[in-house]
Amino acid sequence: MSDSDSAETPADEPTDPSVADRARDVLSENGTGMVQDLLFAFAWVGLASLLYDFGFPTAPRWVLYMFMLAGIPAYFGFFISLEMARERSRR
């Protein structure tokens, strides 16, 4: 048996996809959603930081953390209302 024979995998055995293949699949399926999530996160963190630094400069540090935590319901509220608006416009 030569080395080239042992390196080949039979056609009936599934091969594990590489990390690049898996990343490509995830991005092709969820690309726009991931970009929207990232943009929302940047906008929210930027807004919360600006509010904390300039709107409430004497506030304690936990106020910033509360602003950041408020991003969780804001995220879901924004995207749920966006989906509802899209459904209304389809009717």
Side-chain angles (χ1 to χ4, degrees), residues 73-88:
Y75 169 85
F76 287 106
F78 176 75
F79 283 106
I80 288 171
S81 67
L82 185 64
E83 186 62 33
M84 289 172 58
R86 285 180 182 160
E87 286 179 14
R88 280 191 189 155

Side-chain angles (χ1 to χ4, degrees), residues 5-15:
D5 291 338
S6 64
E8 294 179 20
T9 58
D12 59 340
E13 285 186 28
T15 59

Side-chain angles (χ1 to χ4, degrees), residues 44-61:
W44 189 265
V45 169
L47 177 67
S49 297
L50 286 173
L51 276 173
Y52 178 74
D53 290 339
F54 299 110
F56 306 101
T58 59
R61 190 82 171 155

Side-chain angles (χ1 to χ4, degrees), residues 16-71:
D16 290 333
S18 68
V19 173
D21 292 335
R22 287 184 284 175
R24 192 176 306 112
D25 290 342
V26 168
L27 286 174
S28 67
E29 293 172 6
N30 305 312
T32 56
M34 292 171 71
V35 170
Q36 289 173 347
D37 294 347
L38 184 64
L39 289 175
F40 184 88
F42 280 142
W44 189 265
V45 169
L47 177 67
S49 297
L50 286 173
L51 276 173
Y52 178 74
D53 290 339
F54 299 110
F56 306 101
T58 59
R61 190 82 171 155
W62 61 266
V63 172
L64 174 63
Y65 300 138
M66 291 296 116
F67 281 148
M68 295 296 178
L69 280 174

